[in-house]
Amino acid sequence: MKEQIKDKRTAILKAALKLFTERGFHGTSTAQISKNAGVATGTLFNYFPTKEDLINSLYFEVKGNLSHAMGNGLEAESTFQDKLKKIWSNLVNWGVENQEEFLFVGQFCSSPYITKFTRDEVMKEYIFLHNLVDEGIKAGKIRDFSAELVIAMFYQSSRTVVNFILDSDSSLDENKVSEDGFQILWRGLVKE
């Protein structure tokens, strides 16, 4: 029984992700999501009482998946630069490999439909990045900027690189573009 409940919830979230990225929040009705998920509209409301609840749940899940991907293999890195580069590579690769999720995060990261509670809970998933940046600043590895600004620049720069890769032809060397993007960011951060 629990498996069936999880399957319906997952189907609803997948359908919502697809439709929100294609049509936006206002252009997507709960009836469309239900139909795409293969469930009754009443079933959707059993899991998510409002469309806003659905979007917040989806945002929380996608951002959680992203944070796990970003931290993958981080423990194997020894230097500050290598750790930051690993997070960068993981983020860029995730964006290229998970285009719908990437688009969703970009569309809704500043959305008024994402509650403060959801944003605060999601940010707990990224404490490892905040701690790493704080350590880099305190150790003098990077300039004494606001950690929040560094993280925002890190994220927006990675979005630019992912979009560049997605918008380019297939002959593009994605690893080189990712490396070049990191070097641009790194040179702006590192103390001279």
Side-chain angles (χ1 to χ4, degrees):
M1 181 70 167
K2 283 188 177 187
E3 190 66 35
Q4 185 179 17
I5 290 171
K6 185 177 180 183
D7 289 345
K8 286 182 182 180
R9 183 178 188 282
T10 300
I12 293 167
L13 289 171
K14 284 182 179 180
L17 175 66
K18 180 181 187 307
L19 293 170
F20 285 148
T21 55
E22 288 175 358
R23 302 174 183 191
F25 183 74
H26 292 293
T28 303
S29 70
T30 52
Q32 290 169 325
I33 295 169
S34 299
K35 182 178 179 183
N36 197 286
V39 300
T41 303
T43 301
L44 181 146
F45 288 120
N46 284 336
Y47 293 99
F48 307 100
T50 67
K51 196 160 106 171
E52 287 81 6
D53 289 330
L54 173 56
I55 198 169
N56 276 275
S57 294
L58 182 57
Y59 184 79
F60 187 80
E61 186 163 307
V62 170
K63 288 286 282 190
N65 292 341
L66 173 56
S67 74
H68 287 45
M70 288 169 61
N72 190 26
L74 192 58
E75 65 283 344
E77 304 301 331
S78 57
T79 69
F80 172 77
Q81 183 179 0
D82 288 344
K83 288 178 183 180
L84 199 61
K85 187 175 179 181
K86 181 66 171 177
I87 294 170
W88 171 273
S89 297
N90 287 344
L91 174 53
V92 170
N93 290 337
W94 181 88
V96 171
E97 294 169 8
N98 299 279
Q99 292 178 31
E100 280 187 341
E101 290 88 344
F102 173 76
L103 290 171
F104 176 79
V105 169
Q107 284 176 322
F108 290 97
C109 66
S110 299
S111 170
Y113 301 108
I114 306 299
T115 65
K116 180 178 179 347
F117 176 79
T118 299
R119 286 184 208 286
D120 291 346
E121 288 300 305
V122 163
M123 288 315 295
K124 291 177 184 176
E125 296 279 330
Y126 293 84
I127 194 71
F128 70 95
L129 179 56
H130 200 284
N131 289 342
L132 180 64
V133 170
D134 278 341
E135 288 171 24
I137 292 169
K138 288 176 185 163
K141 303 283 185 189
I142 59 175
R143 298 176 198 216
D144 190 13
F145 295 134
S146 153
E148 288 78 14
L149 177 60
V150 171
I151 292 168
M153 294 298 293
F154 185 90
Y155 175 68
Q156 292 302 329
S157 297
S158 69
R159 284 181 43 91
T160 299
V161 168
V162 171
N163 282 324
F164 184 82
I165 291 169
L166 295 178
D167 291 342
S168 298
D169 64 43
S170 59
S171 66
L172 182 76
D173 182 345
E174 294 177 12
N175 291 329
K176 180 171 181 353
V177 171
S178 179
E179 174 64 25
D180 290 349
F182 180 77
Q183 289 305 318
I184 291 168
L185 178 72
W186 179 252
R187 288 180 186 142
L189 292 174
V190 71
K191 283 188 165 188
E192 295 177 11

